[in-house]
Amino acid sequence: GRVFLFDEDELCFTTEIDRPNACVAANDGTAAVVDWKDWGDTLSGTLHVFDRSGHRLVKRDFDSNIGPVAITPDGAYAATSTLNPDCSTYLFDVSSGERLLRHENQHGNVHHLEFVERDDTWMLRLDEPDDDSAYGIDLGGHIVWKSQDLKRQERLDDLKESSEEADLHEAVELLEEAME
């Protein structure tokens, strides 16, 4: 495979990638590419991040297949998630090329990552399309946001765990929310 970065009609760079699976570009032309090295029984993948001219800033190999990729609009941070059995999300500082964190995904494989500006900093949103288990982590890996559906599910799970002591009013409220 081959990856091309264009700015309108101008080719900025092109490079060969074994099996490009996903790619995103920042506003400054920094591009993050997920490379699946092998489609067979071997679990493997590589995250590449290139600047606008094609200079490699990050290259990280994984012993897992890699799913989605995300990059901040300013090109400062890139992230990718590995699939089972590792099932983690990795965040990288693009300028240093260093891995900032490894976050064990809370709800299995993640197939969509997106950086969202929140309180003057970046939050990485992890979710599945058509799934209600979305949540967000800050640049330190702390969960800082949960979807309403995820919050409801957690409340329901807590209620189930404490079913002998549970408040009947709270149980009815949760069931009404679930019915909506």
Side-chain angles (χ1 to χ4, degrees):
R2 185 163 281 283
V3 174
F4 299 86
L5 179 68
F6 287 92
D7 182 358
E8 296 186 11
D9 293 335
E10 179 188 335
L11 176 64
C12 297
F13 81 90
T14 183
T15 189
E16 191 173 326
I17 299 289
D18 289 336
R19 296 181 193 274
N21 183 46
C23 181
V24 292
N27 294 338
D28 69 353
T30 305
V33 182
V34 167
D35 182 7
W36 282 17
K37 290 184 171 184
D38 189 3
W39 292 92
D41 295 331
T42 304
L43 299 176
S44 65
T46 303
L47 170 69
H48 304 272
V49 180
F50 302 97
D51 68 12
R52 179 183 172 83
S53 63
H55 178 261
R56 188 184 323 268
L57 303 171
V58 177
K59 180 181 181 188
R60 187 61 56 116
D61 292 316
F62 294 90
D63 292 329
S64 289
N65 291 338
I66 304 175
V69 63
I71 195 164
T72 55
D74 62 2
Y77 301 99
T80 191
S81 287
T82 57
L83 305 177
N84 284 329
D86 183 49
C87 216
S88 297
T89 297
Y90 295 84
L91 177 66
F92 296 88
D93 179 316
V94 171
S95 63
S96 71
E98 295 297 315
R99 183 181 91 181
L100 295 178
L101 67 90
R102 175 184 177 260
H103 170 79
E104 289 185 32
N105 300 337
Q106 301 290 305
H107 305 286
N109 290 337
V110 169
H111 287 95
H112 180 75
L113 292 173
E114 179 182 8
F115 282 100
V116 178
E117 195 167 358
R118 184 170 190 266
D119 299 329
D120 296 325
T121 188
W122 293 111
M123 175 187 82
L124 181 61
R125 181 183 162 126
L126 297 81
D127 65 343
E128 295 287 320
D130 306 324
D131 189 12
D132 300 326
S133 60
Y135 67 99
I137 60 173
D138 64 13
L139 299 180
H142 305 98
I143 296 174
V144 293
W145 174 85
K146 294 179 182 178
S147 67
Q148 287 301 104
D149 289 332
L150 184 57
K151 287 179 187 177
R152 261 194 297 280
Q153 183 61 47
E154 287 178 350
R155 285 178 53 204
L156 186 57
D157 291 344
D158 289 345
L159 186 61
K160 286 178 187 176
E161 286 180 21
S162 64
S163 61
E164 291 179 17
E165 308 162 9
D167 179 3
L168 184 57
H169 179 69
E170 184 179 2
V172 170
E173 186 179 298
L174 282 171
L175 289 172
E176 285 174 350
E177 287 179 18
M179 296 289 287
E180 290 175 6

